[in-house]
Amino acid sequence: MKKRWLFLLLAIDAVLIIAHILWGREIQLLNLDRERTPSSYYSGAKLVFISATAWVGFMIVTRRWEKALWGLFGFLFLELAFDEISELHENITYYLSVYIHPSQYFRSPTYMWLVFLSPFIVAGFALLVTFARYAARQTKTLQLAVYAGIAFLFTAVSLEFLSGILKLPSFTRWSPVFEEASEMLGATCIAFAIFSLVKELFEKKYQKKAT
């Protein structure tokens, strides 16, 4: 069941990536680098699912430190989902750039969100690594799934940074494809891990009560 669900998400990811490669330049709705498109809403829905599942985990566990971990994890992905749908980090960058007037290191001011939000980016990855170590208490497979998700998300952020400082036409053309693909695959890995982990915690807790 869990594997079928994982393969379904990977299949949707693959279809959206291939559609962008084939028709993304001509059909804006299929362009992964555009906002308010089917791919962006799909990504947002996936992030909402991760957050909602994390809150189920929050209600299952009983120890305070576990509740804190699950709560922070759920809040992180709720914020990411809101950002995906609302273009929050672009708007923050616009308003801060108006008042702060930062030095121009990137080929476009929109990339300055990587600087403005860098403390939150570092904190987010630290939380993900902590959660991966927590997932290892259940099975190594779940830990690997979370680490794979972290690697994909880190790749996406790195490509965004490189896109801002490099002016090579071939790179700027293809980097959005790999960036958005990495973001989607990262969310898929984490969605699989979080769903599997919550399912195992739920079964352990309530099967014990039933017996």
Side-chain angles (χ1 to χ4, degrees):
M1 176 64 180
K2 288 185 291 187
K3 288 184 178 180
R4 287 183 181 179
W5 182 75
L6 172 63
F7 291 146
L8 174 62
L9 289 180
L10 289 174
I12 297 173
D13 293 344
V15 167
L16 291 172
I17 294 167
I18 293 170
H20 170 90
I21 293 172
L22 295 178
W23 305 294
R25 297 185 70 184
E26 292 77 22
I27 305 174
Q28 294 299 300
L29 280 177
L30 300 179
N31 193 310
L32 295 178
D33 201 32
R34 299 290 182 266
E35 306 296 337
R36 297 182 294 277
T37 62
S39 61
S40 66
Y41 290 125
Y42 160 71
S43 295
K46 198 190 302 183
L47 295 170
V48 168
F49 171 80
I50 294 171
S51 177
T53 307
W55 286 108
V56 174
F58 172 86
M59 291 185 287
I60 292 173
V61 298
T62 56
R63 287 178 289 190
R64 286 185 179 180
W65 70 268
E66 284 184 294
K67 281 190 172 293
L69 182 60
W70 281 96
L72 288 171
F73 190 88
F75 181 76
L76 170 64
F77 279 90
L78 182 62
E79 288 298 308
L80 291 175
F82 182 76
D83 177 77
E84 183 69 27
I85 296 170
S86 68
E87 305 172 54
L88 180 63
H89 68 273
E90 289 94 344
N91 291 324
I92 288 175
T93 301
Y94 170 75
Y95 288 114
L96 288 178
S97 296
V98 169
Y99 293 105
I100 295 176
H101 303 294
S103 300
Q104 184 60 53
Y105 298 107
F106 298 103
R107 61 187 178 87
S108 170
T110 56
Y111 291 98
M112 283 301 298
W113 73 269
L114 292 162
V115 176
F116 293 140
L117 301 180
S118 56
F120 299 99
I121 295 172
V122 173
F125 277 109
L127 176 61
L128 289 175
V129 171
T130 302
F131 195 87
R133 296 177 65 182
Y134 169 75
R137 298 182 175 207
Q138 304 301 317
T139 64
K140 285 290 183 182
T141 302
L142 296 183
Q143 183 191 35
L144 290 174
V146 179
Y147 275 131
I150 294 171
F152 279 121
L153 294 178
F154 183 78
T155 299
V157 173
S158 300
L159 287 171
E160 176 89 1
F161 178 80
L162 291 174
S163 296
I165 61 175
L166 297 179
K167 298 181 180 180
L168 301 173
S170 58
F171 181 81
T172 55
R173 177 183 175 183
W174 287 103
S175 63
V177 182
F178 293 105
E179 177 195 332
E180 296 297 332
S182 296
E183 189 177 315
M184 283 197 296
L185 292 171
T188 292
C189 291
I190 292 176
F192 167 73
I194 197 79
F195 176 78
S196 302
L197 181 55
V198 168
K199 185 174 183 295
E200 289 186 15
L201 291 174
F202 182 88
E203 289 174 349
K204 284 182 180 178
K205 182 175 181 178
Y206 292 102
Q207 281 180 354
K208 284 182 180 180
K209 287 185 176 181
T211 56

